[in-house]
mmCIF file of all heavy atoms in Angstrom:
data_model
loop_
_atom_site.group_PDB
_atom_site.id
_atom_site.type_symbol
_atom_site.label_atom_id
_atom_site.label_comp_id
_atom_site.label_asym_id
_atom_site.label_seq_id
_atom_site.Cartn_x
_atom_site.Cartn_y
_atom_site.Cartn_z
ATOM 1 N N PHE A 1 45.884 -211.584 43.592
ATOM 2 C CA PHE A 1 45.549 -212.520 44.656
ATOM 3 C C PHE A 1 45.895 -211.909 46.014
ATOM 4 O O PHE A 1 45.141 -212.037 46.982
ATOM 5 C CB PHE A 1 46.312 -213.834 44.468
ATOM 6 C CG PHE A 1 46.176 -214.778 45.632
ATOM 7 C CD1 PHE A 1 45.021 -215.537 45.801
ATOM 8 C CD2 PHE A 1 47.197 -214.901 46.570
ATOM 9 C CE1 PHE A 1 44.893 -216.404 46.881
ATOM 10 C CE2 PHE A 1 47.068 -215.759 47.653
ATOM 11 C CZ PHE A 1 45.916 -216.517 47.809
ATOM 12 N N HIS A 2 47.028 -211.229 46.086
ATOM 13 C CA HIS A 2 47.488 -210.645 47.346
ATOM 14 C C HIS A 2 46.868 -209.276 47.623
ATOM 15 O O HIS A 2 46.655 -208.916 48.782
ATOM 16 C CB HIS A 2 49.012 -210.521 47.336
ATOM 17 C CG HIS A 2 49.730 -211.828 47.405
ATOM 18 N ND1 HIS A 2 49.698 -212.627 48.519
ATOM 19 C CD2 HIS A 2 50.491 -212.475 46.484
ATOM 20 C CE1 HIS A 2 50.432 -213.717 48.299
ATOM 21 N NE2 HIS A 2 50.915 -213.652 47.066
ATOM 22 N N PHE A 3 46.596 -208.533 46.563
ATOM 23 C CA PHE A 3 46.090 -207.165 46.730
ATOM 24 C C PHE A 3 44.952 -206.900 45.753
ATOM 25 O O PHE A 3 45.074 -207.179 44.565
ATOM 26 C CB PHE A 3 47.208 -206.141 46.509
ATOM 27 C CG PHE A 3 48.339 -206.260 47.486
ATOM 28 C CD1 PHE A 3 49.497 -206.954 47.146
ATOM 29 C CD2 PHE A 3 48.244 -205.699 48.753
ATOM 30 C CE1 PHE A 3 50.538 -207.066 48.054
ATOM 31 C CE2 PHE A 3 49.275 -205.809 49.662
ATOM 32 C CZ PHE A 3 50.434 -206.504 49.318
ATOM 33 N N LYS A 4 43.882 -206.327 46.261
ATOM 34 C CA LYS A 4 42.706 -206.053 45.432
ATOM 35 C C LYS A 4 43.059 -205.108 44.290
ATOM 36 O O LYS A 4 42.574 -205.267 43.158
ATOM 37 C CB LYS A 4 41.610 -205.440 46.292
ATOM 38 C CG LYS A 4 40.335 -205.117 45.542
ATOM 39 C CD LYS A 4 39.284 -204.539 46.475
ATOM 40 C CE LYS A 4 38.010 -204.203 45.720
ATOM 41 N NZ LYS A 4 36.978 -203.608 46.643
ATOM 42 N N ASN A 5 43.871 -204.117 44.559
ATOM 43 C CA ASN A 5 44.278 -203.133 43.565
ATOM 44 C C ASN A 5 45.513 -202.388 44.079
ATOM 45 O O ASN A 5 45.983 -202.650 45.195
ATOM 46 C CB ASN A 5 43.135 -202.149 43.261
ATOM 47 C CG ASN A 5 42.516 -201.602 44.544
ATOM 48 O OD1 ASN A 5 43.217 -201.262 45.499
ATOM 49 N ND2 ASN A 5 41.190 -201.522 44.583
ATOM 50 N N LYS A 6 46.021 -201.457 43.288
ATOM 51 C CA LYS A 6 47.235 -200.755 43.708
ATOM 52 C C LYS A 6 46.984 -199.854 44.908
ATOM 53 O O LYS A 6 47.905 -199.569 45.685
ATOM 54 C CB LYS A 6 47.824 -199.955 42.547
ATOM 55 C CG LYS A 6 46.974 -198.783 42.052
ATOM 56 C CD LYS A 6 47.691 -198.030 40.938
ATOM 57 C CE LYS A 6 46.864 -196.846 40.447
ATOM 58 N NZ LYS A 6 47.559 -196.083 39.385
ATOM 59 N N ALA A 7 45.738 -199.425 45.083
ATOM 60 C CA ALA A 7 45.407 -198.608 46.253
ATOM 61 C C ALA A 7 45.617 -199.402 47.534
ATOM 62 O O ALA A 7 46.068 -198.860 48.554
ATOM 63 C CB ALA A 7 43.961 -198.117 46.159
ATOM 64 N N ALA A 8 45.296 -200.698 47.485
ATOM 65 C CA ALA A 8 45.478 -201.548 48.663
ATOM 66 C C ALA A 8 46.960 -201.727 48.987
ATOM 67 O O ALA A 8 47.345 -201.796 50.156
ATOM 68 C CB ALA A 8 44.825 -202.907 48.426
ATOM 69 N N VAL A 9 47.790 -201.785 47.959
ATOM 70 C CA VAL A 9 49.240 -201.886 48.168
ATOM 71 C C VAL A 9 49.753 -200.603 48.816
ATOM 72 O O VAL A 9 50.495 -200.632 49.804
ATOM 73 C CB VAL A 9 49.980 -202.129 46.836
ATOM 74 C CG1 VAL A 9 51.458 -202.383 47.097
ATOM 75 C CG2 VAL A 9 49.372 -203.294 46.076
ATOM 76 N N PHE A 10 49.350 -199.478 48.255
ATOM 77 C CA PHE A 10 49.788 -198.185 48.777
ATOM 78 C C PHE A 10 49.327 -198.015 50.218
ATOM 79 O O PHE A 10 50.076 -197.515 51.069
ATOM 80 C CB PHE A 10 49.229 -197.054 47.898
ATOM 81 C CG PHE A 10 49.958 -195.755 48.031
ATOM 82 C CD1 PHE A 10 51.100 -195.500 47.293
ATOM 83 C CD2 PHE A 10 49.502 -194.770 48.899
ATOM 84 C CE1 PHE A 10 51.772 -194.297 47.410
ATOM 85 C CE2 PHE A 10 50.158 -193.564 49.027
ATOM 86 C CZ PHE A 10 51.306 -193.327 48.275
ATOM 87 N N ASP A 11 48.119 -198.450 50.485
ATOM 88 C CA ASP A 11 47.552 -198.360 51.826
ATOM 89 C C ASP A 11 48.443 -199.081 52.839
ATOM 90 O O ASP A 11 48.742 -198.552 53.918
ATOM 91 C CB ASP A 11 46.150 -198.973 51.821
ATOM 92 C CG ASP A 11 45.463 -198.850 53.171
ATOM 93 O OD1 ASP A 11 44.931 -197.773 53.465
ATOM 94 O OD2 ASP A 11 45.459 -199.835 53.923
ATOM 95 N N LEU A 12 48.863 -200.280 52.499
ATOM 96 C CA LEU A 12 49.693 -201.057 53.415
ATOM 97 C C LEU A 12 51.054 -200.402 53.633
ATOM 98 O O LEU A 12 51.639 -200.496 54.715
ATOM 99 C CB LEU A 12 49.879 -202.471 52.870
ATOM 100 C CG LEU A 12 50.442 -203.514 53.843
ATOM 101 C CD1 LEU A 12 49.579 -203.625 55.093
ATOM 102 C CD2 LEU A 12 50.546 -204.878 53.153
ATOM 103 N N LEU A 13 51.545 -199.709 52.629
ATOM 104 C CA LEU A 13 52.856 -199.062 52.731
ATOM 105 C C LEU A 13 52.841 -197.780 53.564
ATOM 106 O O LEU A 13 53.846 -197.438 54.191
ATOM 107 C CB LEU A 13 53.391 -198.746 51.331
ATOM 108 C CG LEU A 13 53.825 -199.944 50.477
ATOM 109 C CD1 LEU A 13 54.087 -199.497 49.044
ATOM 110 C CD2 LEU A 13 55.070 -200.607 51.062
ATOM 111 N N VAL A 14 51.708 -197.068 53.602
ATOM 112 C CA VAL A 14 51.741 -195.725 54.209
ATOM 113 C C VAL A 14 50.752 -195.475 55.339
ATOM 114 O O VAL A 14 50.921 -194.510 56.090
ATOM 115 C CB VAL A 14 51.523 -194.622 53.136
ATOM 116 C CG1 VAL A 14 52.524 -194.741 51.995
ATOM 117 C CG2 VAL A 14 50.095 -194.633 52.607
ATOM 118 N N LYS A 15 49.722 -196.301 55.474
ATOM 119 C CA LYS A 15 48.622 -195.956 56.379
ATOM 120 C C LYS A 15 49.076 -195.679 57.816
ATOM 121 O O LYS A 15 48.684 -194.683 58.428
ATOM 122 C CB LYS A 15 47.547 -197.039 56.386
ATOM 123 C CG LYS A 15 46.337 -196.677 57.258
ATOM 124 C CD LYS A 15 45.290 -197.757 57.272
ATOM 125 C CE LYS A 15 44.040 -197.297 58.015
ATOM 126 N NZ LYS A 15 44.320 -196.862 59.400
ATOM 127 N N ASP A 16 49.886 -196.565 58.381
ATOM 128 C CA ASP A 16 50.304 -196.399 59.776
ATOM 129 C C ASP A 16 51.107 -195.115 59.972
ATOM 130 O O ASP A 16 50.932 -194.404 60.966
ATOM 131 C CB ASP A 16 51.123 -197.605 60.238
ATOM 132 C CG ASP A 16 50.278 -198.856 60.410
ATOM 133 O OD1 ASP A 16 49.035 -198.732 60.437
ATOM 134 O OD2 ASP A 16 50.861 -199.956 60.513
ATOM 135 N N VAL A 17 51.959 -194.810 59.023
ATOM 136 C CA VAL A 17 52.784 -193.602 59.119
ATOM 137 C C VAL A 17 51.927 -192.349 58.931
ATOM 138 O O VAL A 17 52.104 -191.350 59.633
ATOM 139 C CB VAL A 17 53.938 -193.650 58.092
ATOM 140 C CG1 VAL A 17 54.677 -192.319 58.030
ATOM 141 C CG2 VAL A 17 54.909 -194.778 58.466
ATOM 142 N N TYR A 18 50.999 -192.409 57.998
ATOM 143 C CA TYR A 18 50.044 -191.309 57.778
ATOM 144 C C TYR A 18 49.287 -190.991 59.069
ATOM 145 O O TYR A 18 49.216 -189.842 59.509
ATOM 146 C CB TYR A 18 49.087 -191.721 56.667
ATOM 147 C CG TYR A 18 47.887 -190.835 56.428
ATOM 148 C CD1 TYR A 18 47.947 -189.780 55.527
ATOM 149 C CD2 TYR A 18 46.666 -191.103 57.068
ATOM 150 C CE1 TYR A 18 46.825 -188.990 55.273
ATOM 151 C CE2 TYR A 18 45.554 -190.311 56.822
ATOM 152 C CZ TYR A 18 45.640 -189.264 55.925
ATOM 153 O OH TYR A 18 44.522 -188.483 55.694
ATOM 154 N N ASP A 19 48.728 -192.037 59.685
ATOM 155 C CA ASP A 19 47.970 -191.844 60.926
ATOM 156 C C ASP A 19 48.855 -191.289 62.034
ATOM 157 O O ASP A 19 48.445 -190.401 62.790
ATOM 158 C CB ASP A 19 47.358 -193.175 61.382
ATOM 159 C CG ASP A 19 46.225 -193.646 60.476
ATOM 160 O OD1 ASP A 19 45.661 -192.812 59.740
ATOM 161 O OD2 ASP A 19 45.905 -194.848 60.517
ATOM 162 N N ALA A 20 50.077 -191.810 62.135
ATOM 163 C CA ALA A 20 50.986 -191.373 63.198
ATOM 164 C C ALA A 20 51.434 -189.928 63.003
ATOM 165 O O ALA A 20 51.537 -189.160 63.971
ATOM 166 C CB ALA A 20 52.202 -192.296 63.257
ATOM 167 N N LEU A 21 51.691 -189.533 61.761
ATOM 168 C CA LEU A 21 52.075 -188.141 61.488
ATOM 169 C C LEU A 21 50.999 -187.173 61.967
ATOM 170 O O LEU A 21 51.292 -186.177 62.638
ATOM 171 C CB LEU A 21 52.311 -187.939 59.992
ATOM 172 C CG LEU A 21 53.720 -188.122 59.436
ATOM 173 C CD1 LEU A 21 53.694 -188.014 57.915
ATOM 174 C CD2 LEU A 21 54.693 -187.099 60.019
ATOM 175 N N LEU A 22 49.761 -187.458 61.606
ATOM 176 C CA LEU A 22 48.660 -186.577 61.996
ATOM 177 C C LEU A 22 48.447 -186.595 63.508
ATOM 178 O O LEU A 22 48.242 -185.546 64.131
ATOM 179 C CB LEU A 22 47.378 -186.999 61.280
ATOM 180 C CG LEU A 22 47.382 -186.866 59.751
ATOM 181 C CD1 LEU A 22 46.065 -187.377 59.170
ATOM 182 C CD2 LEU A 22 47.624 -185.425 59.322
ATOM 183 N N HIS A 23 48.524 -187.780 64.108
ATOM 184 C CA HIS A 23 48.343 -187.889 65.555
ATOM 185 C C HIS A 23 49.446 -187.140 66.308
ATOM 186 O O HIS A 23 49.158 -186.390 67.256
ATOM 187 C CB HIS A 23 48.336 -189.365 65.956
ATOM 188 C CG HIS A 23 48.329 -189.577 67.438
ATOM 189 N ND1 HIS A 23 47.196 -189.419 68.210
ATOM 190 C CD2 HIS A 23 49.335 -189.921 68.304
ATOM 191 C CE1 HIS A 23 47.495 -189.658 69.478
ATOM 192 N NE2 HIS A 23 48.776 -189.959 69.557
ATOM 193 N N ASN A 24 50.678 -187.344 65.899
ATOM 194 C CA ASN A 24 51.801 -186.689 66.577
ATOM 195 C C ASN A 24 51.723 -185.167 66.469
ATOM 196 O O ASN A 24 52.016 -184.446 67.429
ATOM 197 C CB ASN A 24 53.132 -187.166 65.991
ATOM 198 C CG ASN A 24 53.401 -188.629 66.259
ATOM 199 O OD1 ASN A 24 52.734 -189.249 67.090
ATOM 200 N ND2 ASN A 24 54.371 -189.199 65.559
ATOM 201 N N HIS A 25 51.326 -184.695 65.299
ATOM 202 C CA HIS A 25 51.234 -183.257 65.074
ATOM 203 C C HIS A 25 50.154 -182.637 65.964
ATOM 204 O O HIS A 25 50.373 -181.610 66.613
ATOM 205 C CB HIS A 25 50.921 -182.995 63.603
ATOM 206 C CG HIS A 25 51.146 -181.589 63.151
ATOM 207 N ND1 HIS A 25 52.397 -181.015 63.093
ATOM 208 C CD2 HIS A 25 50.277 -180.633 62.729
ATOM 209 C CE1 HIS A 25 52.290 -179.771 62.660
ATOM 210 N NE2 HIS A 25 51.015 -179.514 62.432
ATOM 211 N N ARG A 26 49.012 -183.315 66.025
ATOM 212 C CA ARG A 26 47.905 -182.822 66.845
ATOM 213 C C ARG A 26 48.260 -182.881 68.339
ATOM 214 O O ARG A 26 47.991 -181.934 69.090
ATOM 215 C CB ARG A 26 46.662 -183.662 66.564
ATOM 216 C CG ARG A 26 45.374 -183.139 67.178
ATOM 217 C CD ARG A 26 44.190 -183.913 66.652
ATOM 218 N NE ARG A 26 44.047 -183.763 65.205
ATOM 219 C CZ ARG A 26 44.094 -184.775 64.347
ATOM 220 N NH1 ARG A 26 44.285 -186.006 64.780
ATOM 221 N NH2 ARG A 26 43.942 -184.553 63.058
ATOM 222 N N THR A 27 48.895 -183.963 68.744
ATOM 223 C CA THR A 27 49.273 -184.135 70.142
ATOM 224 C C THR A 27 50.301 -183.090 70.573
ATOM 225 O O THR A 27 50.272 -182.609 71.716
ATOM 226 C CB THR A 27 49.846 -185.547 70.376
ATOM 227 O OG1 THR A 27 48.840 -186.515 70.042
ATOM 228 C CG2 THR A 27 50.260 -185.744 71.825
ATOM 229 N N MET A 28 51.191 -182.728 69.665
ATOM 230 C CA MET A 28 52.184 -181.703 69.971
ATOM 231 C C MET A 28 51.510 -180.400 70.381
ATOM 232 O O MET A 28 51.884 -179.769 71.376
ATOM 233 C CB MET A 28 53.082 -181.463 68.747
ATOM 234 C CG MET A 28 54.123 -180.365 68.932
ATOM 235 S SD MET A 28 55.039 -180.036 67.399
ATOM 236 C CE MET A 28 53.735 -179.333 66.365
ATOM 237 N N TYR A 29 50.489 -179.993 69.646
ATOM 238 C CA TYR A 29 49.782 -178.752 69.980
ATOM 239 C C TYR A 29 48.988 -178.895 71.271
ATOM 240 O O TYR A 29 48.945 -177.969 72.088
ATOM 241 C CB TYR A 29 48.860 -178.345 68.830
ATOM 242 C CG TYR A 29 49.589 -177.837 67.614
ATOM 243 C CD1 TYR A 29 49.395 -178.415 66.359
ATOM 244 C CD2 TYR A 29 50.485 -176.771 67.712
ATOM 245 C CE1 TYR A 29 50.071 -177.948 65.241
ATOM 246 C CE2 TYR A 29 51.165 -176.302 66.595
ATOM 247 C CZ TYR A 29 50.948 -176.904 65.367
ATOM 248 O OH TYR A 29 51.621 -176.425 64.269
ATOM 249 N N GLU A 30 48.348 -180.039 71.462
ATOM 250 C CA GLU A 30 47.573 -180.244 72.687
ATOM 251 C C GLU A 30 48.467 -180.154 73.917
ATOM 252 O O GLU A 30 48.101 -179.556 74.934
ATOM 253 C CB GLU A 30 46.869 -181.606 72.636
ATOM 254 C CG GLU A 30 45.742 -181.670 71.610
ATOM 255 C CD GLU A 30 45.192 -183.078 71.423
ATOM 256 O OE1 GLU A 30 45.782 -184.022 72.027
ATOM 257 O OE2 GLU A 30 44.207 -183.247 70.689
#
């Protein structure tokens, strides 16, 4: 009811940090 599947749970746990890691790394070089 709360989550379509386990991928949706994992997504909520890591997505923001995943995006921030990549953004921060790229911004550091820029």
Side-chain angles (χ1 to χ4, degrees):
F1 172 78
H2 290 292
F3 298 98
K4 180 179 179 181
N5 48 42
K6 66 178 181 179
V9 186
F10 200 85
D11 183 80
L12 194 57
L13 290 170
V14 305
K15 183 181 186 303
D16 289 346
V17 171
Y18 170 90
D19 290 340
L21 268 174
L22 296 178
H23 173 77
N24 294 346
H25 195 67
R26 189 171 298 120
T27 300
M28 178 185 67
Y29 288 124
E30 290 171 354

